[in-house]
């Protein structure tokens, strides 16, 4: 009886050990494939310190020009999000099974949304730079499309998760579909929606910074200009400005999101001064930035016509040299795996140091949290760009770029996971006379592991998306083929690569959400 | 045998224990009652060294409990099982894992320490855990996650964890305070059964006097850090009973 | 159970596929680390393998096909295996040489000057194209027919004088047109036109045009004009003719409005730290390279040259460095 039970245990040792060995094998092979060489890393770090010396002190050049570009960047992110939400709101309700007029429309809408959000912004931008010309318009449209995908999915998920009772009550009055949505669904999802919306604006401004790298407007253009010409001091100056802007926007959006959550925002007599300042500066910056993005309709029309002209040229997609594509895909996966492992290695100490319940030294926590924010605020493409200079072209610089950027995210998430640990079992196990390591292993690790695994997988998922485009700046992966073909206007090949990238992202997305659902 | 000698403890200016003397003989089952804040939890926690008294001593089997010596404290703790009001289980892991963690104190040398620190248990512990789970009636839930269980079931798992230690003393800190009446009775029956079968000391903190009268022979009542009654439950007279009822009621009022 | 098996299968296949990359990426795409000689070696040893870097002006596969015979020729002449390394852009080649990923490479004139400064590059030979048959080429400013009509330019203006004329014409159309450069480190796509524009009086381009930007490549610049996403763009004779030849560009939609003075052709340069024997061998091999091997690359021959050839380009770079 007992024996039988032991054998059917889902946690059977062999399965666990094998899984563990495979994960180790994959990581090792990924390191190998992304050319991670520790001698190289040390050499790279010494190059980096040389590079940093060349970067100091930062030079800001033409302040007026940089100011214009900064506002252009904010404009791309801010108005791209707003433009996207016009399409995303109806599309989201069409996706959600409980508000969609019928099943088939819902399927179709979900499919569109999945494709829209799976294509990395940079790929959109690469396509639109060709038809709209260089400049912020291409960036704006790229952000808009991704926003439609992300926001629609969010709205659909929220709508499907609402309390059905009020909906039924409104339905019972014989209202039309649109009235049902506005009266029973919207009030339920509004607070969460606004929170996510603020987050999207914040993250889209960050994305807009890196879109400039391929010429789609904003500060990134200037960044790449100085990088290409090895003007390190000016490059660093732009970097400093990027960091300041992103931190500023991030703080404002944090204050507003917190106000939303606590219910103090926009309530008479309850709104805090801090929130008023945050909200008004947010709105002001947003409105001012509209003057720095092109609202010229003729430009838009011309680009639109170009797209219509170009679309047939992308078809049929062709695939040449499968073995090369295959190698590039594996390289992409290897970069994502190694980048994630790199991020985890950096994030664990950051998370431990930033956790409120472990360390009581306030200033250390403060510094560590700022380090996390710094990592988060510099886009991975920009990090990779710096490391291309330090460790050279190739996957390794991509790995470091991804690793550093996502370590900022993970550090914060790990800190939260550690802060949520229930310390009661720790005492219970201590009462049995357990050793320190046993206590950590059997009380702390089981509690943080699910959050650890699911968030690391989430980051891995994100890193796959990001690593497909690192090739844009020569940091390895399939993005290199994409850019090279785009630059030589091999549209059919570009389409073939986009389809491959899309499939890759969707497969990994499904796989990771399946594993996450098993873990939590 | 537990011998407590002139035990004093204060938190800041508040005196929680003011000179407690208590002796528990081997194989004895005792209920410890008193209003909240009376010091009963503090008292029970001094027995396995989670609270360090300001003055006085605790002897376990005539050996002084030395909270400064980590290794000897650990050895003493191995003899004392403890269960809690809020169960203190690792919610995300399986029942079996929680029960096995009760044996961690015994895997303290060589290979078993290494194995248990990376999360592996030897087969004999596995078999013993199943034996104990069968004893508490939870063997069919061994692979379920703890957060899927009801309160009564969780407390049975917690008792199973304590039994993994083969304890000589079982401390129960308000084990039924968070349970419904049916589950409460089940847990008290189980504690009684353990006391009968294993012949160990069971020291239970409670505040339901009826439950005390029905399930225990000896009762110790504490108020404001001093023992106000120590004797057989059947000798608890009406006056004392009503006095205890009074604080029970006032306590409930405070809770509401 | 089935799901578990499926997951297992995925993990296994992922693992196996990475084994393959582990072996293949290293050999096929990137130079093995052990061939990189350390700096300041006391005894010079001739390298046992080399990596040749190129700028992608075409899709990578065609490039590799195009360079196949050339690669085989180099391997035969130098007696060591030669790998081809394709960088993302002009700067990419410089970065690659800087981090010892490549030993010798084709540079643009401007990026060669950058490489000399950043990566200790030394010029080996200059590349002479079939079309011009001389070691110089010409930078172009091109415009859409509408813009050319507006500016009233029918035959291309030439040289610094031409630029002065262009500046006079453009001063009546300030902030009216958009302008595209190609890549910041490109010679004819940025360095040369911007330098001569400054000489001709168009010093701060942002004051003269509605929008100035970088489109990344010559092809993008030319097609941008053709698609009317930009009004005026910078490129050169080689790239424009190549695109016309391929039929991707249409002469009726593109007007050349300015031709630059001669710009020295692109060089092949090697790392200064290569052994002197290998340097000599490389120069010799390139100089006697038969035409039928390099005709697919659009080249007539390699010629020997000196650093002085690029003095004008250094001037351009010095000017570009002052731009804020």
């Amino acid at each position: 009886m007992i024996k039988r039970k032991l054998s059917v245990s889902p946690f059977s040792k062999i399965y666990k050990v094998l899984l563990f060995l495979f994960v180790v094998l994959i990581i090792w092979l990924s390191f190998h494939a992304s050319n991670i060489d520790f001698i190289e890393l040390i050499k790279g770090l010494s190059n980096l310190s040389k590079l940093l010396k060349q970067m100091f002190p930062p030079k800001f050049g033409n302040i007026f020009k940089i100011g214009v570009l900064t506002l252009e960047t904010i404009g791309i992110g801010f108005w791209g999000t707003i433009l996207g939400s016009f399409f995303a709101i109806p599309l989201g309700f069409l996706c959600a099974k409980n508000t969609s007029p019928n099943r088939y429309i819902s399927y179709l809408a979900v499919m569109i949304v999945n494709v829209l959000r799976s294509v990395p912004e940079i790929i959109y931008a690469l396509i639109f730079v060709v038809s709209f010309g260089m400049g912020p318009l291409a960036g704006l449209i790229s952000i808009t499309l991704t926003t439609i995908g992300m926001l629609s999915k969010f709205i659909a998920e929220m709508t499907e998760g609402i309390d059905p009772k009020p909906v039924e009550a409104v339905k019972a009055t014989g209202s039309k579909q649109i009235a049902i949505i506005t009266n029973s669904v919207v009030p339920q999802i509004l607070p969460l929606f606004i929170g996510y919306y603020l987050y999207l604006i914040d993250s889209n401004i960050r994305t807009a910074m890196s879109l400039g790298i391929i010429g789609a407007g904003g500060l990134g253009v200037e960044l790449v200009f100085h990088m290409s010409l090895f003007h390190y001091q000016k490059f660093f100056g732009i970097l400093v400005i990027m960091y300041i802007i992103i931190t500023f926007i991030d703080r404002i959006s944090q204050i507003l999101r917190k106000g939303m959550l606590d219910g103090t925002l926009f309530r008479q007599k309850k709104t805090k001064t801090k929130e008023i300042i945050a909200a008004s500066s947010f709105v002001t910056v947003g409105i001012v930035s509209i003057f720095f993005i092109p609202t010229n309709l003729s430009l838009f029309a011309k680009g639109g016509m170009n797209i219509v002209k170009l679309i047939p040229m992308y078809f049929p997609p062709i695939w040449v040299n499968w073995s090369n594509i295959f190698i590039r895909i594996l390289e992409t996966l290897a970069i994502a795996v190694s980048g994630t492992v790199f991020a985890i290695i950096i994030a664990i100490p950051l998370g431990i140091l930033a956790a409120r319940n472990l360390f009581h030294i306030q200033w250390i926590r403060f510094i560590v949290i700022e380090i996390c924010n710094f990592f988060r605020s510099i886009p991975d493409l920009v990090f990779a760009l710096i490391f291309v200079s330090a460790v050279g072209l190739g996957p390794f610089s991509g790995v470091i770029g991804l690793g550093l950027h996502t370590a900022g995210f993970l550090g914060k998430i790990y800190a939260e996971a550690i802060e949520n640990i229930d310390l009661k079992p720790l005492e219970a196990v201590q009462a049995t006379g357990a050793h320190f390591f046993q206590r950590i292993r059997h009380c702390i690790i089981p509690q943080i592991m699910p959050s650890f695994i699911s968030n690391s997988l989430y980051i891995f998922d994100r890193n796959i998306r990001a690593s497909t485009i690192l090739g844009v700046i020569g940091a390895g992966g399939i993005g290199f083929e994409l850019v090279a073909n785009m630059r030589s206007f091999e549209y059919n090949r570009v389409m073939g690569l986009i389809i491959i990238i899309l499939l890759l992202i969707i497969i990994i997305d499904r796989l990771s959400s399946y594993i996450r659902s098993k873990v939590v | 045998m537990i011998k407590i000698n002139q035990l004093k403890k204060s938190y800041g200016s508040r005196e929680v224990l003011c000179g407690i003397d208590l002796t528990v003989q081997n194989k004895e089952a005792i209920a410890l009652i008193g209003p909240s804040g009376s010091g009963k939890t503090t008292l029970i926690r001094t027995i396995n060294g989670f609270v360090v008294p300001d003055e006085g001593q605790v002897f376990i089997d005539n050996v002084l409990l030395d909270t400064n010596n980590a290794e000897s404290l650990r050895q003493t703790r191995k003899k004392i099982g403890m269960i809690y009001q809020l169960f203190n289980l690792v919610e995300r892991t399986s029942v079996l894992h929680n029960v096995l963690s009760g044996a961690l104190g015994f895997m303290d040398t060589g290979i078993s320490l290494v194995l248990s620190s990376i999360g592996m248990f030897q087969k004999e512990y596995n078999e013993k855990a199943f034996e104990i789970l069968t004893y508490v009636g939870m063997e069919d839930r061994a692979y379920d996650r703890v957060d899927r269980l009801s309160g009564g079931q969780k407390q049975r798992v917690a008792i199973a964890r304590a039994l993994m230690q083969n304890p000589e003393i079982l401390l129960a800190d308000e084990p039924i305070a968070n349970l419904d009446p049916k589950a409460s009775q089940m847990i008290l029956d189980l504690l009684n059964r353990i006391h009968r079968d294993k012949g160990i000391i069971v020291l239970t903190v409670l505040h339901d006097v009826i439950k005390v009268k029905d399930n225990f022979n000896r009762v110790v009542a504490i108020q404001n850090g001093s023992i106000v009654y120590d004797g057989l439950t059947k000798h608890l007279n009406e006056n004392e009973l009503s006095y205890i009822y009074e604080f029970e009621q006032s306590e409930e009022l405070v809770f509401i | 159970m089935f799901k578990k098996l499926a997951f297992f299968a995925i993990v296994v296949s992922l693992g196996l596929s990475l084994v393959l990359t582990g072996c293949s990426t290293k050999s096929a795409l990137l130079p093995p680390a052990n061939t990189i000689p350390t700096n300041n070696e006391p005894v010079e040893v001739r390298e046992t393998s080399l990596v040749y870097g190129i700028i992608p002006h075409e899709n990578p596969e065609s490039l590799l096909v195009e360079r196949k015979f050339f690669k085989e020729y180099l391997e035969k002449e130098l007696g060591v295996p030669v790998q081809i390394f394709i960088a993302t852009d002009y700067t990419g080649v410089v970065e690659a040489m800087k981090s010892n990923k490549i030993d010798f490479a084709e540079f643009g004139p401007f990026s060669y000057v950058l490489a000399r400064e950043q990566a200790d590059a030394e010029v080996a030979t200059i590349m002479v194209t079939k079309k011009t048959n001389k070691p110089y080429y010409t930078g172009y400013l091109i415009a859409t027919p509408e813009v050319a009509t507006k500016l009233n330019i029918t035959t291309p203006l030439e040289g610094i004088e031409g630029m002065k004329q262009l500046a006079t014409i453009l001063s009546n159309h300030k902030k009216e047109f958009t302008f595209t450069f190609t890549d910041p480190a490109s010679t004819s796509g940025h360095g040369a036109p911007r330098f001569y524009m400054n000489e001709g009086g168009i010093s701060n381009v942002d004051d003269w045009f509605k929008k100035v930007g970088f489109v990344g490549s010559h092809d993008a610049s030319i097609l941008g004009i053709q698609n009317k996403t930009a009004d005026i763009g910078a490129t050169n004779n080689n790239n424009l003719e190549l695109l016309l030849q391929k039929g991707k560009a249409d002469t009726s939609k593109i007007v050349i409005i300015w031709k630059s003075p001669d710009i020295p052709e692109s060089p092949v340069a090697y790392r200064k730290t290569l052994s002197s024997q290998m340097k000599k061998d490389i120069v010799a091999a390139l100089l006697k390279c038969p035409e039928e091997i390099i005709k697919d690359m659009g080249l007539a021959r390699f010629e020997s040259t000196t650093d002085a050839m690029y003095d004008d380009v250094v001037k351009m770079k010095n000017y570009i460095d002052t731009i804020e």
Side-chain angles (χ1 to χ4, degrees):
Chain A
M1 176 79 186
I2 288 168
K3 280 256 161 67
R4 191 183 62 79
K5 270 181 182 138
L6 281 173
S7 65
V8 297
S9 156
F11 302 101
S12 83
K13 294 271 142 51
I14 297 169
Y15 175 69
K16 256 182 158 174
V17 169
L18 276 180
L19 189 67
F20 178 74
L21 286 179
F22 266 113
V23 170
V24 170
L25 182 73
I26 285 177
I27 291 172
W28 182 77
L29 289 168
S30 303
F31 274 20
H32 187 69
S34 14
N35 280 42
I36 293 188
D37 184 338
F38 286 93
I39 298 162
E40 195 85 343
L41 179 66
I42 291 161
K43 246 196 266 170
L45 287 178
S46 79
N47 282 345
L48 185 67
S49 69
K50 230 187 288 169
L51 198 68
L52 288 175
K53 255 178 236 154
Q54 281 175 294
M55 284 181 175
F56 272 103
K59 270 192 193 162
F60 294 98
N62 186 340
I63 292 290
F64 174 74
K65 189 175 172 189
I66 287 173
V68 167
L69 285 173
T70 302
L71 282 163
E72 195 175 280
T73 308
I74 294 174
I76 294 170
F78 195 89
W79 292 97
T81 317
I82 288 177
L83 212 60
S85 56
F86 287 138
F87 300 95
I89 292 169
L91 197 58
F93 289 125
L94 288 181
C95 286
K97 285 179 194 70
N98 50 346
T99 51
S100 184
N102 72 54
R103 227 149 35 102
Y104 302 103
I105 293 183
S106 161
Y107 284 148
L108 187 72
V110 168
M111 218 174 76
I112 294 173
V113 163
N114 275 338
V115 170
L116 280 178
R117 59 183 268 281
S118 296
V119 180
E121 293 92 346
I122 296 270
I123 293 185
Y124 285 128
L126 275 171
I127 293 172
F128 292 128
V129 163
V130 175
S131 21
F132 288 90
M134 81 293 155
L137 194 56
L140 187 77
I141 297 170
S142 311
I143 297 271
T144 304
L145 288 181
T146 322
T147 303
I148 295 175
M150 307 278 269
L151 198 58
S152 300
K153 180 159 192 278
F154 180 81
I155 292 173
E157 272 174 6
M158 287 297 110
T159 309
E160 281 172 4
I162 59 167
D163 180 4
K165 287 186 236 74
V167 183
E168 237 172 69
V170 179
K171 241 185 207 163
T173 63
S175 308
K176 277 191 164 179
Q177 187 74 14
I178 186 85
I180 296 171
I181 292 175
T182 51
N183 288 304
S184 60
V185 179
V186 171
Q188 288 194 53
I189 63 169
L190 197 61
L192 283 172
F193 172 80
I194 294 181
Y196 187 71
Y197 200 63
L198 287 168
Y199 162 77
L200 260 187
I201 291 183
D202 177 15
S203 102
N204 279 342
I205 290 174
R206 213 174 304 150
T207 310
M209 303 260 173
S210 44
L211 286 183
I213 290 176
I214 51 122
L219 271 178
V221 175
E222 201 67 5
L223 193 75
V224 160
F225 178 77
H226 292 309
M227 197 68 199
S228 307
L229 295 168
F230 301 91
H231 296 162
Y232 288 123
Q233 287 178 313
K234 288 174 192 161
F235 173 84
F236 191 54
I238 305 280
L239 219 55
V240 168
I241 287 166
M242 278 186 164
Y243 173 64
I244 292 170
I245 301 295
I246 292 170
T247 312
F248 172 70
I249 301 277
D250 183 58
R251 294 295 139 88
I252 287 182
S253 126
Q254 256 175 27
I255 291 172
L256 293 180
R257 267 183 283 165
K258 193 169 176 299
M260 205 66 227
L261 224 62
D262 301 346
T264 54
L265 193 66
F266 306 135
R267 296 283 154 77
Q268 259 184 327
K269 289 178 188 164
K270 273 190 179 169
T271 314
K272 295 173 190 155
T273 333
K274 170 166 97 167
E275 287 164 11
I276 296 173
I277 296 170
S280 51
S281 49
F282 201 62
V283 172
T284 318
V285 169
I287 289 175
V288 169
S289 70
I290 201 173
F291 297 108
F292 295 88
I293 56 167
T295 41
N296 187 340
L297 278 179
S298 73
L299 207 64
F300 200 81
K302 228 192 289 178
M305 287 201 341
N306 276 331
I307 284 195
V308 174
K309 247 195 314 195
L310 283 175
I311 281 176
M313 296 175 74
Y314 282 98
F315 291 95
I318 55 172
W319 294 277
V320 196
N321 201 346
W322 272 107
S323 69
N324 189 30
I325 291 178
F326 186 64
I327 286 172
R328 289 293 183 187
I329 287 178
L330 292 177
E331 195 177 79
T332 304
L333 286 174
I335 293 173
V337 171
S338 316
T340 311
V341 171
F342 194 64
I344 291 172
I345 292 171
I346 302 173
I348 288 174
L350 288 178
I352 291 172
L353 288 172
R356 201 174 284 122
N357 54 346
L358 290 185
F359 280 88
H360 304 285
I361 310 165
Q362 201 56 38
W363 64 270
I364 291 184
R365 265 197 69 222
F366 179 78
I367 290 173
V368 172
I369 289 173
E370 275 313 305
I371 291 174
C372 285
N373 280 334
F374 170 73
F375 283 162
R376 242 163 24 102
S377 69
I378 307 290
D380 31 20
L381 269 181
V382 176
F383 265 131
L385 202 63
I386 300 172
F387 279 94
V388 161
S389 255
V391 299
L393 292 165
F396 193 23
S397 53
V399 168
I400 303 179
L402 281 187
L404 286 182
H405 179 62
T406 47
F409 281 99
L410 276 181
K412 255 186 154 173
I413 293 168
Y414 288 169
E416 274 165 29
I418 294 171
E419 280 169 13
N420 288 334
I421 288 175
D422 178 7
L423 291 173
K424 289 199 281 356
L426 195 65
E427 192 197 289
V429 174
Q430 196 177 359
T432 70
H435 272 287
F436 176 74
F437 288 114
Q438 291 173 327
R439 297 206 295 270
I440 299 285
R441 170 62 188 82
H442 294 281
C443 291
I444 304 293
I445 291 180
Q447 290 193 57
I448 49 177
M449 216 45 186
S451 148
F452 178 88
I453 291 177
S454 79
N455 284 307
S456 306
L457 272 173
Y458 168 74
I459 291 292
F460 173 62
D461 191 6
R462 179 215 170 271
N463 281 352
I464 291 270
R465 254 169 71 90
S467 62
T468 55
I469 50 159
L470 280 173
V472 171
I473 52 148
I478 192 148
F480 172 74
E481 297 287 318
L482 187 79
V483 177
N485 280 305
M486 200 76 220
R487 290 236 164 105
S488 50
F489 301 94
E490 303 275 359
Y491 297 112
N492 308 64
R493 292 178 183 205
V494 168
M495 199 34 134
L497 288 168
I498 288 179
I499 288 172
I500 287 174
I501 291 176
L502 212 62
L503 284 177
L504 184 69
I505 290 173
I506 289 173
I507 290 170
I508 297 287
D509 184 60
R510 286 290 147 85
L511 200 67
S512 113
S513 67
Y514 168 74
I515 301 174
R516 267 184 284 162
S517 73
K518 290 278 135 181
V519 173
V520 183
Chain B
M1 191 182 78
I2 307 169
K3 194 171 186 315
I4 292 167
N5 199 359
Q6 276 300 309
L7 208 64
K8 286 185 183 168
K9 176 75 187 174
S10 353
Y11 292 121
S13 60
R14 202 169 66 89
E15 205 171 15
V16 195
L17 298 177
C18 8
I20 300 268
D21 284 306
L22 182 68
T23 307
V24 183
Q25 296 301 332
N26 279 344
K27 304 188 179 182
E28 216 176 353
I30 294 188
L32 198 60
I33 58 173
S36 49
S38 61
K40 51 193 192 315
T41 297
T42 306
L43 177 61
I44 201 172
R45 285 163 69 84
T46 57
I47 296 172
N48 61 2
F50 277 126
V51 169
V52 181
D54 301 338
E55 272 177 51
Q57 303 89 28
V58 176
F59 295 93
I60 312 286
D61 294 338
N62 295 321
V63 180
L64 177 68
L65 184 76
D66 182 0
T67 49
N68 290 323
N69 183 338
E71 186 51 30
S72 89
L73 180 65
R74 207 174 63 74
Q75 292 302 339
T76 312
R77 279 177 179 165
K78 279 161 66 174
K79 292 193 234 168
I80 307 173
M82 188 162 184
I83 60 176
Y84 303 80
Q85 180 177 353
L86 294 168
F87 326 123
N88 292 20
L89 296 167
V90 184
E91 297 261 325
R92 282 183 185 277
T93 56
S94 68
V95 167
L96 184 62
H97 189 163
N98 270 287
V99 175
L100 282 169
S101 70
L104 286 174
F106 293 87
M107 306 175 203
D108 52 356
T109 47
I111 188 82
S112 64
L113 177 63
V114 174
L115 283 177
S116 65
S117 295
I118 61 167
M120 293 169 88
F121 296 95
Q122 280 132 310
K123 206 172 172 193
E124 66 224 60
Y125 289 110
N126 232 328
E127 279 162 12
K128 188 177 174 199
F130 266 97
E131 223 169 83
I132 291 170
L133 277 172
T134 313
Y135 183 78
V136 300
M138 292 290 295
E139 77 281 10
D140 53 335
R141 307 296 297 269
Y143 295 114
D144 284 4
R145 265 170 58 158
V146 170
D147 48 12
R148 306 228 174 93
L149 304 181
S150 71
Q153 290 171 324
K154 283 183 188 170
Q155 195 59 286
R156 280 191 276 159
V157 175
I159 291 171
R161 177 175 63 190
L163 290 181
M164 271 309 270
Q165 294 173 250
N166 284 334
E168 290 164 26
I169 299 165
L170 184 61
L171 306 174
D173 187 5
E174 308 230 14
I176 58 169
N178 271 38
L179 302 179
D180 60 74
K182 207 176 146 201
S184 302
Q185 193 51 54
M186 191 172 190
I187 296 299
L188 288 176
D189 288 346
L190 180 59
L191 287 176
N192 264 325
R193 188 148 61 92
I194 291 166
H195 174 237
R196 240 188 5 252
D197 293 353
K198 318 251 168 191
I200 58 178
I201 296 174
V202 178
L203 188 57
T204 312
V205 171
L206 285 174
H207 57 246
D208 187 335
V209 178
I210 300 286
K211 287 254 155 48
V212 172
K213 282 206 88 161
D214 291 349
N215 293 286
F216 293 87
N217 288 326
R218 183 176 165 197
V219 61
V220 175
I222 301 183
Q223 197 186 18
N224 295 331
S226 305
I227 292 178
V228 291
Y229 180 89
D230 182 355
L232 295 177
T233 32
K234 59 187 175 198
H235 294 158
L236 266 181
N237 62 35
E238 285 306 310
N239 270 346
E240 277 155 334
L241 205 62
S242 71
Y243 156 73
I244 291 166
Y245 268 124
E246 249 167 53
F247 72 61
E248 276 308 315
Q249 276 155 7
S250 66
E251 188 183 12
E252 263 170 49
L253 282 176
V254 172
F255 268 114
I256 292 162
Chain C
M1 196 61 203
F2 172 73
K3 278 186 175 171
K4 217 195 285 171
L5 273 175
F7 176 64
F8 208 71
I10 291 168
V11 171
V12 173
S13 54
L14 205 67
L16 281 178
S17 53
L18 282 166
V19 176
L20 291 174
T21 11
C23 313
S24 47
T25 12
K26 213 155 191 173
S27 54
L29 300 170
L30 294 156
N34 58 5
T35 59
I36 296 164
T38 46
N39 290 348
N40 309 323
E41 244 173 338
V43 186
E44 276 196 344
V45 182
R46 193 170 180 275
E47 287 71 14
T48 51
S49 74
L50 290 174
V51 185
Y52 183 73
I54 43 179
I55 310 152
H57 54 79
E58 261 188 281
N59 69 65
E61 289 118 39
S62 322
L63 267 178
L64 287 176
V65 172
E66 206 182 272
R67 294 293 196 279
K68 189 170 169 281
F69 295 119
F70 181 57
K71 170 183 176 299
E72 283 165 3
Y73 168 78
L74 285 177
E75 284 180 338
K76 195 185 84 203
E77 287 295 311
L78 301 173
V80 295
V82 175
Q83 286 178 19
I84 302 274
F85 178 95
I86 304 169
T88 30
D89 53 18
Y90 292 96
T91 310
V93 187
V94 185
E95 297 277 14
M97 186 169 278
K98 196 177 166 192
S99 54
N100 286 349
K101 286 237 152 90
I102 56 175
D103 302 299
F104 62 136
E106 294 165 19
F107 287 93
F110 196 92
S111 55
Y112 165 66
V113 175
L114 282 177
R116 212 164 67 182
E117 177 191 290
Q118 296 289 332
D120 284 335
E122 269 175 12
V123 69
T125 59
I126 197 163
M127 300 193 278
V128 178
T129 59
K130 263 191 298 192
K131 271 172 222 118
T132 54
N133 206 20
K134 55 178 185 174
Y136 295 98
Y137 71 118
T138 316
Y140 285 168
L141 287 187
I142 54 174
T144 59
E146 293 84 355
V147 173
T149 319
K150 245 186 212 169
L151 298 177
N152 201 15
I153 299 174
T154 43
T155 49
L157 307 168
E158 282 184 44
I160 295 182
E161 281 311 309
M163 187 56 85
K164 280 179 185 156
Q165 274 171 281
L166 187 64
T168 326
I169 301 169
L170 275 174
S171 62
N172 299 322
H173 297 275
K174 271 194 177 179
K175 290 258 176 197
E176 199 179 317
F177 304 122
T178 56
F179 190 99
T180 58
F181 291 116
T182 61
D183 180 312
S186 161
T187 322
S188 59
H190 179 235
R194 200 158 190 176
F195 173 75
Y196 289 116
M197 280 156 91
N198 183 51
E199 299 275 294
I202 306 174
S203 54
N204 188 351
V205 286
D206 289 314
D207 291 343
W208 285 73
F209 299 99
K210 193 164 70 188
K211 182 86 202 166
V212 179
F214 291 86
V215 285
S217 70
H218 285 280
D219 289 4
S221 179
I222 296 164
L223 291 180
I225 301 297
Q226 175 159 313
N227 293 336
K228 301 191 185 3
T229 53
D231 298 318
I232 303 175
T235 184
N236 62 51
N237 60 329
N238 290 338
N239 283 85
L240 183 60
E241 277 158 33
L242 206 66
L243 217 57
L244 291 173
Q245 232 171 48
K246 283 188 193 162
K248 286 195 177 177
D250 183 350
T251 15
S252 68
K253 291 178 176 167
I254 295 161
V255 182
I256 302 164
I257 58 170
W258 177 77
K259 286 180 174 176
S260 76
D262 283 348
I263 301 171
E265 266 293 358
S266 299
V268 172
Y270 41 62
R271 245 175 338 107
K272 199 179 192 172
T273 45
L274 281 186
S275 65
S276 48
Q277 189 55 50
M278 186 56 96
K279 288 181 193 172
K280 263 183 223 154
D281 292 349
I282 289 173
V283 173
L286 289 176
L287 287 180
K288 65 176 191 205
C289 185
E291 202 193 326
E292 60 268 24
I293 283 180
I294 49 171
K295 66 174 191 295
D296 288 343
M297 296 154 62
L299 294 185
R301 62 183 177 278
F302 291 96
E303 268 179 20
S304 55
T305 185
T306 57
D307 264 351
M309 185 81 176
Y310 295 98
D311 284 351
D312 280 350
V313 186
V314 173
K315 268 189 228 156
M316 291 173 195
K317 189 197 161 278
N318 289 342
Y319 165 67
I320 297 292
D321 281 346
T322 63
I323 293 169
E324 303 259 277

